[in-house]
Amino acid sequence: MPWTETDRPVLVLGYGNVLRGDDGAGPTAAEALRKRLPAHTAEVLVAHQLLPEMSQRLSRCQLAIFIDADWNLPAGQVRRKDIAADCDGGRSIGHQQSPQQLLCMALALYGHAPQAVLFHIGAARFGFEQGLSQQVKQAIPLLVQQVVDTVQQTADNLEHHHA
Amino acid sequence: MPRDIVIDPVTRIEGHAKITLKMNDAGDIADAMFHVTQFRGFEKFCEGRPLTEMPSLMARTCGICPVSHLTASAKACDDLLAVKIPETAANLRRLMNLAQIVQSHALSFFHLSSPDLLMGFDADPAKRHIFGVLQENPQLARDGIRLRQIGQTIIEILGGKKIHPAWAVAGGVNKALVAADRDKMLAMLPEALDIAQRTLQWYKRVADQFSAEARTFANFPTLFMGLITETGGLEHYDGLLRVVDSKGEIVLDKFPPQRYQEIIAEAVEPYSFMKFPYFKEMGYPQGIYRVGPLARLNIVDYCGTPIADQEWAEFREIQRGAVLSSFHYHHARLIEILFGIEKMEQLLKDPTILSTKVRARARPNRNEGVGVAEAPRGTLIHHYRIDDNGLMVWANLIIATGHNNLAMNRGILQAAQHFISGGKVSEGALNRVEAVIRCYDPCLSCATHAIGKMPMRIELVSSAGEVIHALDRN
């Protein structure tokens, strides 16, 4: 699949349901990153969930950053994890994927899976409500800064590589 | 000793369900039940809301087929306003409904059912899923993703977003189509048509390997129901109800869908949250009927687009009379994808599609309204009552998947009795029982929208498997 002029090297995917409290942490962080990251470097997508259709776009970037809420982490805690393609389908019914499955699709179907980082943010509330809990709200700037640093680091490496 | 086999959860379907198979002393299957175990409440919590909110609210019934609910709900609201909406508005709604059918059928065929067709029903379950497909046949997987993406993109162009677009409103749609957007949609359709034709040819090549499944996957006489055009063509947005029997003979023709209660009633069973609609004239449970792609192709006299018509004629050669086996839902689904793409092209090439007259405005003029459309899975009925201020006082939804409930239950019994005997149960046999359900592509989020009338059974079971207490609510 040829790369195009419009493909930017970094893809940020913040996902979750903004109508379910802290599950909206991913979209909230992504919206904040839209203002922080240079538009020519990063494309920011906000989604309810990860969809198979995203795999093609994923195959065209060099760094993918996924941001999701995690109820297993203490509220407000941010965890960074490097991830890779995983083709275990598990019980996926096909219209919703994990980041690792999406990377697998990108690699198997379109020939390239980018370097990928998954940021989890510990969440407290998943009820029927809009807005984040105080702990999560306070942690969003920290998460955003970590993503910006990661993107910057990758951009530097790419520049160094091309030079 | 009699025992039960429970398949829980049923996989590769939309929603949550389980199947219980009851064995007799000889180890053969004596009975089978499809339990829909999730619980929702749309009919109740819409009460008190203004009718103008209904299309957007009811679209939330489902994330897979929100457009179907949006469409049926908007039509029910048109009825409450007592307006005939502008023709362009009707065609725009028709267009979005077809895009929805294309993307939903693509999800069902490529993502949920193709693993069985590509790798076989006895394949290792660790590989029998969409990720197995992308390793075995990447082109098929790419085609599935792309076709679904095209359908979703058309919905997004028309309605502003892929899921839950608030675009169809009481009296029409809230935005006219502009030429640039029309051209974007038209540009995608040739690729979609290529994919649909390629996939149908692939399916016809592999389908012969599944003759045992075609013979036993809900292969029995029932009625079939759906909407048709005035002249008996395939219709998904509007039209009149037709019912045919297993011989393909018309039982009821050109029946106004607004009068559905004269022909359909609903029963309840203690083991499922999904209701059991039946054809009133034949009683319960004899009044079993099927809806959806198989039913639609069984009831029509033609499709109405060139390629789909050729494929439909070949499809009807499978069997004299109606095509009875639910295995052929897959085939019918692919023909409907073809039809949807061709029909969308026809609609988009009609210059009137760009008319800016897309909404009739009126106050509520009736206290009761019914909207009926064909969803991907079959006939969808929204029936509302409002007070004189336009506030909802009552709603009844009959969902496509619900219509098929009796047939799904009888279908899993037939498959289980064929593939399980003498107490020997293989994983492949259980997969086939599940696959009967998958043929219908049930959407259980939609089917369990209701609240308040459903029976419930709570069983307290000892560690030895004995039911020590049961509580029924009827």
Side-chain angles (χ1 to χ4, degrees), chain B residues 99-228:
Chain B
Q100 155 82 4
I101 281 168
V102 168
Q103 74 83 17
S104 177
H105 281 359
L107 174 66
S108 169
F109 183 82
F110 290 94
H111 293 248
L112 308 184
S113 293
S114 77
D116 294 326
L117 300 171
L118 182 65
M119 287 169 262
F121 289 90
D122 294 305
D124 179 358
K127 293 180 180 169
R128 207 178 50 213
H129 45 60
I130 186 64
F131 292 93
V133 173
L134 64 87
Q135 282 158 347
E136 290 275 328
N137 189 338
Q139 182 65 49
L140 188 68
R142 270 194 297 271
D143 281 350
I145 289 172
R146 181 62 181 143
L147 194 57
R148 184 163 180 267
Q149 186 181 36
I150 289 171
Q152 293 279 61
T153 304
I154 291 173
I155 292 169
E156 186 176 27
I157 289 171
L158 289 168
K161 53 183 181 174
K162 292 178 178 140
I163 301 171
H164 301 140
W167 169 77
V169 292
V173 299
N174 65 13
K175 188 173 154 227
L177 181 63
V178 297
D181 284 343
R182 175 199 59 189
D183 296 344
K184 276 187 216 163
M185 290 188 272
L186 274 172
M188 290 187 283
L189 294 180
E191 184 188 0
L193 193 61
D194 281 349
I195 292 172
Q197 288 184 284
R198 182 162 63 230
T199 308
L200 184 53
Q201 296 315 314
W202 176 82
Y203 173 81
K204 287 196 284 192
R205 283 198 301 277
V206 302
D208 287 345
Q209 300 165 25
F210 302 106
S211 55
E213 287 76 15
R215 279 200 314 277
T216 54
F217 278 23
N219 183 20
F220 41 65
T222 64
L223 301 172
F224 296 92
M225 185 183 84
L227 293 174
I228 54 164

Side-chain angles (χ1 to χ4, degrees), chain B residues 105 200 224-228 232-236 242 244 248 290-304 308-309 311-318 321-323 328-339 374:
Chain B
H105 281 359
L200 184 53
F224 296 92
M225 185 183 84
L227 293 174
I228 54 164
L234 187 58
E235 173 62 65
H236 294 90
R242 177 182 277 180
V244 304
R290 284 177 269 185
V291 298
L294 179 71
R296 290 192 285 254
L297 295 198
N298 274 332
I299 62 167
V300 296
D301 302 322
Y302 63 97
C303 288
D309 271 332
E311 293 294 342
W312 173 78
E314 190 181 324
F315 174 82
R316 292 300 300 269
E317 291 292 315
I318 291 173
V323 177
H328 298 303
Y329 266 97
H330 300 307
H331 192 166
R333 207 164 272 129
L334 292 172
I335 295 172
E336 283 207 320
I337 289 176
L338 270 178
F339 171 81
E374 287 291 329

Side-chain angles (χ1 to χ4, degrees), chain A residues 19 49 51-53 55-56 86-95 97 101-102 104-105 108-110, chain B residues 8-9 11-14 64 107 111-112 126 129-131 134-135 138 141-142 145-146 148-149 152 162-163:
Chain A
L19 300 177
Q49 59 195 32
L51 302 169
E53 297 91 289
S55 58
Q56 189 174 14
D86 179 355
C87 296
D88 178 9
R91 281 181 169 164
S92 166
I93 73 161
H95 63 278
Q97 267 75 46
Q101 289 172 332
L102 209 57
C104 163
M105 287 188 138
L109 298 181
Y110 306 107
Chain B
D8 185 13
T11 58
R12 283 186 277 140
I13 60 168
E14 168 45 39
I64 303 291
L107 174 66
H111 293 248
L112 308 184
H129 45 60
I130 186 64
F131 292 93
L134 64 87
Q135 282 158 347
R142 270 194 297 271
I145 289 172
R146 181 62 181 143
R148 184 163 180 267
Q149 186 181 36
Q152 293 279 61
K162 292 178 178 140
I163 301 171

Side-chain angles (χ1 to χ4, degrees), chain B residues 46-54 80 364 366-368 384-395:
Chain B
C46 71
E47 287 176 12
R49 307 307 307 173
L51 79 97
T52 48
E53 287 184 5
M54 282 305 100
L80 292 168
R366 289 192 186 119
N367 292 103
E368 190 160 358
Y384 305 154
R385 288 190 193 126
I386 54 172
D387 64 18
D388 290 339
N389 297 314
L391 300 179
M392 291 286 294
V393 294
W394 177 87

Side-chain angles (χ1 to χ4, degrees), chain A residues 111-151:
Chain A
H112 173 71
Q115 177 190 338
V117 182
L118 172 60
F119 282 93
H120 270 140
I121 181 163
R125 300 197 312 240
F126 289 94
F128 293 105
E129 58 183 336
Q130 288 178 273
L132 305 176
S133 64
Q134 201 57 32
Q135 300 105 302
V136 173
K137 205 181 289 180
Q138 283 172 352
I140 291 284
L142 173 70
L143 169 66
V144 166
Q145 190 55 51
Q146 285 195 27
V147 173
V148 170
D149 292 345
T150 303
V151 171

Side-chain angles (χ1 to χ4, degrees), chain A residues 6-13 34 37-45 57 65:
Chain A
T6 55
D7 291 330
R8 282 160 280 179
V10 178
L11 179 67
V12 177
L13 276 155
R34 213 189 284 277
L37 294 171
H40 64 277
T41 303
E43 181 180 0
V44 179
L45 296 180
R57 173 65 191 93
I65 291 178

